Amino acid sequence: LRSAIFRKQKFSKLKAYEMSHSLAAVEGSATDEIKINRALLSVSNKDGLIEFAKFLADQKVELLSTGGTAKALRTAGLTVQDVSDYTGHPEIMDGRVKTLHPKVHGGIMYVRGNISHEKEKESQGIKSIDLVVLNLYPFQATVDSGKDFSTCIENIDIGGPSMLRSSAKNHKYVAISTSPTQYPEIMCEMATKSGGTSLGLRKRLAAAAFSLSAQYDGSIASWIQREAADDASEPPKVAARVYTHEFPLKYGCNPHQSPAGIYSISGNKGLPFAVLNGTPGYINLLDALNAWQLVRELATATGLCSAASFKHCSPAGAAVGVPLSDEERAVYDCLDLENITPSAAAYLRARNADPMSSFGDFAALSHTVDEATAKVLKREVSDGIIAPGFEPGALAVLSSKKGGKFIVLKADPGYEPGRFEYREAFGTTFQQRRNERFGASRVMILNA
């Protein structure tokens, strides 16, 4: 009992300590719509920049900019002030320090309507910055391109994330744009709100900005932990994983488990598949991805076309495309089929390993699906298929199955997930090295 009381007192003191070090909110004016009078633009991705900047200029917005962005704006005939002229300090240290200045962050961070902040702003010669438009250095792309350690380090953005976080934190008064895809919405709102933005829009932009910041920092943290590790095979002590929503699902495992969705993992090349037909569900995709891994490994190990039949996340059967005997054709009820290709044979074998469990299965093929295989699938009760490709005739046959609802997924043969895989269950995360134990040694065993 004494131990329990001590733990409770210790926890209470810890919470009190944490609360005593929390910052109090800084009060200012409460305004929904904020007119944009000044914008700071500093982007590496110039898509849509000139059109957006011209719109801002037409709205009588003063433009601040840096380096290449300022040059691009001037080339387009726009009037722009260099940040270095505004701050009175030049860009230094090979451009590493250009926006890290009180006149920049003060203009972004000051609380409008706060008497103290307004006085400090005036005394320091700080101008308000109501819109920040930026991109971050392409760190992940630099890593993916195989650049050396020093080059990757140089592509870690410092000024960009600092302005991003400043703007997003002060979104009550400042709009932050981190992608050209956001320009149309900002322009539309400014056009209908006399050059201003609403709090609702600024809040959404801030949410997107903080998500980008988390993704960016997560990529850096994961990379540098790998680089700093004595043993590259060891998992990181702290795993920073960021997910990007790709598309929603109708529901999860059960109809009441909604919302549900599919996310890609930051640092990977998007998703390992594309949807060609139908609307896959939660269990469909679990079956598809597990089945695809199995047939890919089986084909690599044997050199033969391989197929799998999955049902509710378990393999009901897996096989390779060796010819069927007359007895097997009779047992599999396919004597009427004239053309049984290796792909068709592989699926017939996999499906009939346990035909009862395969009822309503999700199929996988290691090779391009031909029309003969599609015709086999068409007459079976099946939900979908994943394969690296489909002949035009095969895709037409499969797309017409189940009234057009049959799921057809095209797998990316070149997709490679990370070395480590993670799984969550009831608030606990499991981690293991991905199973890579297949290949030449197993080919010898199978051929023995």
Side-chain angles (χ1 to χ4, degrees), residues 134-347:
L134 57 80
N135 307 139
L136 304 181
Y137 291 170
F139 170 77
Q140 189 62 53
T142 304
V143 172
D144 293 341
S145 67
K147 298 295 184 183
D148 60 65
F149 183 85
S150 295
T151 302
C152 292
I153 286 292
E154 201 59 41
N155 278 274
I156 296 176
D157 203 333
I158 303 300
S162 299
M163 289 194 295
L164 180 155
R165 293 177 65 85
S166 294
S167 308
K169 176 176 179 175
N170 206 30
H171 68 268
K172 190 174 181 179
Y173 308 104
V174 179
I176 168 66
S177 174
T178 54
S179 169
T181 60
Q182 297 167 337
Y183 299 167
E185 185 176 11
I186 296 172
M187 289 190 289
C188 181
E189 184 148 303
M190 288 181 66
T192 58
K193 296 186 181 298
S194 302
T197 59
S198 67
L199 179 58
L201 174 61
R202 295 193 300 276
K203 190 175 290 186
R204 291 195 300 275
L205 293 172
F210 278 126
S211 295
L212 175 62
S213 178
Q215 180 180 1
Y216 196 75
D217 287 340
S219 297
I220 296 169
S222 297
W223 170 78
I224 203 162
Q225 283 190 87
R226 291 195 302 270
E227 293 293 316
D230 294 328
D231 183 354
S233 66
E234 286 296 315
K237 299 302 181 185
V238 177
R241 295 170 63 78
V242 178
Y243 302 95
T244 300
H245 186 264
E246 296 291 346
F247 59 87
L249 298 174
K250 189 175 181 180
Y251 51 80
C253 277
N254 300 291
H256 65 274
Q257 290 178 274
S258 182
I262 293 298
Y263 290 73
S264 60
I265 303 173
S266 177
N268 286 358
K269 191 181 71 173
L271 294 175
F273 64 90
V275 181
L276 301 186
N277 193 72
T279 305
Y282 192 96
I283 297 296
N284 295 143
L285 291 173
L286 283 173
D287 283 343
L289 294 173
N290 282 302
W292 168 245
Q293 291 179 81
L294 192 158
V295 298
R296 189 176 73 155
E297 293 176 11
L298 188 55
T300 300
T302 64
L304 299 171
C305 179
S306 304
S309 172
F310 263 64
K311 182 68 178 291
H312 293 169
C313 305
S314 297
V320 294
V322 296
L324 299 175
S325 66
D326 290 340
E327 291 81 3
E328 288 170 327
R329 285 167 61 96
V331 171
Y332 297 165
D333 193 22
C334 60
L335 290 171
D336 58 319
L337 296 178
E338 296 180 1
N339 181 27
I340 299 181
T341 61
S343 291
Y347 179 66

Side-chain angles (χ1 to χ4, degrees), residues 293-420:
Q293 291 179 81
L294 192 158
V295 298
R296 189 176 73 155
E297 293 176 11
L298 188 55
T300 300
T302 64
L304 299 171
C305 179
S306 304
S309 172
F310 263 64
K311 182 68 178 291
H312 293 169
C313 305
S314 297
V320 294
V322 296
L324 299 175
S325 66
D326 290 340
E327 291 81 3
E328 288 170 327
R329 285 167 61 96
V331 171
Y332 297 165
D333 193 22
C334 60
L335 290 171
D336 58 319
L337 296 178
E338 296 180 1
N339 181 27
I340 299 181
T341 61
S343 291
Y347 179 66
L348 281 165
R349 288 183 178 280
R351 171 93 185 190
N352 286 282
D354 186 348
M356 184 173 291
S357 295
S358 287
F359 188 86
D361 69 341
F362 207 100
L365 263 293
S366 62
H367 290 54
T368 297
V369 177
D370 52 33
E371 196 165 347
T373 308
K375 288 179 178 178
V376 171
L377 269 160
K378 185 176 181 180
R379 63 193 220 169
E380 302 290 356
V381 177
S382 179
D383 282 346
I385 184 171
I386 184 169
F390 299 84
E391 292 181 356
L395 183 59
V397 170
L398 295 173
S399 297
S400 66
K401 182 175 170 64
K402 295 182 67 175
K405 295 181 180 179
F406 187 74
I407 301 161
V408 181
L409 305 179
K410 182 178 180 180
D412 178 0
Y415 183 94
E416 290 294 338
R419 174 174 292 176
F420 299 104

Side-chain angles (χ1 to χ4, degrees), residues 71-85:
K71 182 179 179 180
L73 296 177
R74 289 196 180 96
T75 301
L78 291 162
T79 300
V80 58
Q81 182 181 19
D82 284 306
V83 166
S84 57
D85 291 338

